[in-house]
Amino acid sequence: MRRFFLTLFLLAALAALGLGAAGLWWVHQPLKLPAPSVDLSVEPGTTPRGVAQAVADTGTDVQPQMLYFWFRISGQDRQIRAGSYELERGITPKMLLNVLVRGEEATRSLVLVEGWNIRQVRAALAKAEQLKPETIGLPDDALMARLGRPGVHPEGRFFPDTYTYSKGSTDIALLQRAMRAMDKKLEAAWAARAADLPLQSADQALILASIVEKETGKAKDRAEIAAVFVNRLRAGMPLQTDPSVIYGLGTAFDGNLRKKDLLADTPWNTYTRGGLPPTPIAMPGKAALLAAVQPAQSKSLYFVSRGDGTSQFSSSLDDHNRAVNRYQRGGGEPKPKVAQ
C-alpha cells in the first residue's frame, strides 16, 4: 500500500512538473494575432479576468482562462493598468503582462510648429492619427470656451512642441496640454523681462513674440529683430511688419503682398495702425518669447533681408535705404521688411 501511494505521489509530481514546464513554455510563445497589430482597450475598473477576455475579443487566438491563470500565478494581476494598447505580432503572454503592468500604452505624436497660426494647428489636429476629433466644426470662440478660456482669442495660445498621446485621446485634451505649456512658458518669460520694456502685460509680450517668430529668418537675428520693434514702440513709430498685414488678410492672401494690401485697413495692419496688433499672429517658440522680453541692446529701427535668411539692421532711414539698394534692388522695386 505504501508503495502504491508513493507511486501516485511520484506520478502527481511528474504531472505537476510537466504542467509547469508546459506553462513556462507557453508564456514565452508568441500569441497568434489576427493582424500584424491589434488594438486592446482596457477600461478603468476592468478585472484581470475581464482583461484576459478583452485580449481574446480582439481576435487573438488564446484561451482567456489560460491567460487569466497566468495573470494570477504571476502575482501581478492586480497591477494591470487601464489604457489603450497596441499588441504587435511576436508578443508573448509574458511580454503582454509586462506591457499591461507598466502601462506602456500605444502612443502617437503630433508636432505643432513654431510660427503656425490657429488654422494650421486645427488642420494638423484633424489629420492626426488615432486622435478623437472633438473640435471639428467648432468656431474658435466655442473652442476656447471648451478649453476654459471664454472670450480669449485662440491665436498664439498653444505652445509649439512635439506632443505624444495615447490612441483614442481627444484633440481637446492635446490642446489643453499645449495651452498650459504656453501659459508656463509665457509666465516664465514675463518674469524674466527687461525693466524698461514698452509692454504693459504678458499678453502684449506674446503678441510681440509672435511677430518676432514670423520675422526671424536666422536664430542669431532674433533678439535684434525684437529690438527693432521695441525701439519703434518706444518712439511711437508704426511697426510696419508684413506678417501682421498678411494675418489680417486671412484666407484672402494669395501669397503675393501688394501695395493695396498694405493700405487696406484691418486691426492687424501695422502700416495703417499704431502699436501692437490686437492678438498674436502665430505660435511663438521659447526663443521668440525670450527675445520679445529681452531684446538686444540696439538703436536699430529698420531691417531688411539680405536674401540668405539673415537681416541687415539700420538705425537711420538713409542707412536703411542704402541696405535696400544693396540687397534688394536687383529684382525691381525693393520690399523692405520694416520701413518708415
Side-chain angles (χ1 to χ4, degrees):
M1 183 65 70
R2 181 179 299 175
R3 180 175 296 177
F4 173 75
F5 283 113
L6 179 60
T7 301
L8 285 179
F9 174 78
L10 290 174
L11 289 174
L14 288 173
L17 286 173
L19 287 173
L24 185 62
W25 174 85
W26 178 79
V27 299
H28 289 91
Q29 295 306 300
L31 294 169
K32 295 180 180 179
L33 306 183
S37 68
V38 297
D39 295 330
L40 172 66
S41 179
V42 178
E43 300 297 329
T46 305
T47 64
R49 188 185 298 276
V51 174
Q53 185 60 54
V55 174
D57 289 344
T58 66
T60 299
D61 185 10
V62 64
Q63 290 294 326
Q65 286 291 349
M66 185 178 295
L67 193 57
Y68 168 63
F69 183 68
W70 158 235
F71 291 163
R72 287 295 305 274
I73 65 171
S74 72
Q76 296 180 294
D77 55 319
R78 296 298 175 183
Q79 300 175 36
I80 293 174
R81 301 183 186 182
S84 298
Y85 300 93
E86 185 174 23
L87 312 184
E88 297 185 344
R89 188 162 287 170
I91 193 169
T92 66
K94 180 177 176 61
M95 293 165 62
L96 170 62
L97 182 58
N98 288 338
V99 166
L100 296 174
V101 168
R102 293 172 184 168
E104 296 175 357
E105 295 187 68
T107 59
R108 299 291 186 270
S109 64
L110 175 66
V111 179
L112 300 183
V113 179
E114 295 173 351
W116 271 7
N117 60 37
I118 187 62
R119 293 193 306 274
Q120 292 169 302
V121 170
R122 299 193 68 170
L125 289 172
K127 296 177 181 177
E129 183 183 5
Q130 300 291 337
L131 190 64
K132 289 183 180 177
E134 294 188 354
T135 67
I136 292 178
L138 282 181
D140 286 347
D141 56 351
L143 169 65
M144 295 306 288
R146 282 284 305 274
L147 293 170
R149 300 287 176 84
V152 176
H153 197 281
E155 198 63 73
R157 296 291 171 177
F158 308 102
F159 188 70
D161 204 349
T162 299
Y163 294 91
T164 58
Y165 58 90
S166 300
K167 295 175 66 174
S169 295
T170 67
D171 51 4
I172 282 286
L174 191 147
L175 283 178
Q176 286 174 332
R177 291 168 55 200
M179 186 175 66
R180 288 194 296 267
M182 180 58 84
D183 288 344
K184 291 179 181 179
K185 299 294 184 183
L186 179 58
E187 181 182 0
W190 185 243
R193 67 189 183 277
D196 58 344
L197 284 181
L199 303 174
Q200 304 304 312
S201 66
D203 278 358
Q204 288 191 350
L206 181 63
I207 293 170
L208 179 56
S210 72
I211 294 173
V212 172
E213 186 69 68
K214 294 299 289 184
E215 285 280 22
T216 302
K218 293 290 185 179
K220 70 182 185 65
D221 290 341
R222 191 177 281 113
E224 187 80 10
I225 287 173
V228 168
F229 293 119
V230 166
N231 290 339
R232 283 187 160 242
L233 288 172
R234 287 196 182 109
M237 298 172 65
L239 298 186
Q240 295 184 322
T241 170
D242 291 356
S244 68
V245 177
I246 292 170
Y247 182 83
L249 294 173
T251 56
F253 180 62
D254 62 3
N256 184 21
L257 190 63
R258 303 172 178 85
K259 184 176 181 179
K260 68 176 184 178
D261 297 325
L262 301 180
L263 299 176
D265 184 51
T266 74
W268 292 271
N269 190 331
T270 50
Y271 285 82
T272 61
R273 301 194 183 196
L276 292 164
T279 71
I281 61 173
M283 293 188 301
K286 180 180 178 181
L289 287 169
L290 291 176
V293 298
Q294 297 176 0
Q297 296 297 313
S298 168
K299 296 182 179 180
S300 297
L301 292 169
Y302 309 88
F303 63 96
V304 65
S305 174
R306 293 193 181 104
D308 61 356
T310 64
S311 297
Q312 178 67 36
F313 298 90
S314 305
S315 58
S316 72
L317 183 57
D318 287 342
D319 287 345
H320 176 63
N321 287 335
R322 281 191 287 272
V324 170
N325 288 335
R326 177 178 179 184
Y327 294 108
Q328 294 195 348
R329 278 293 186 185
E333 193 65 23
K335 294 180 181 179
K337 294 176 77 175
V338 175
Q340 188 175 27

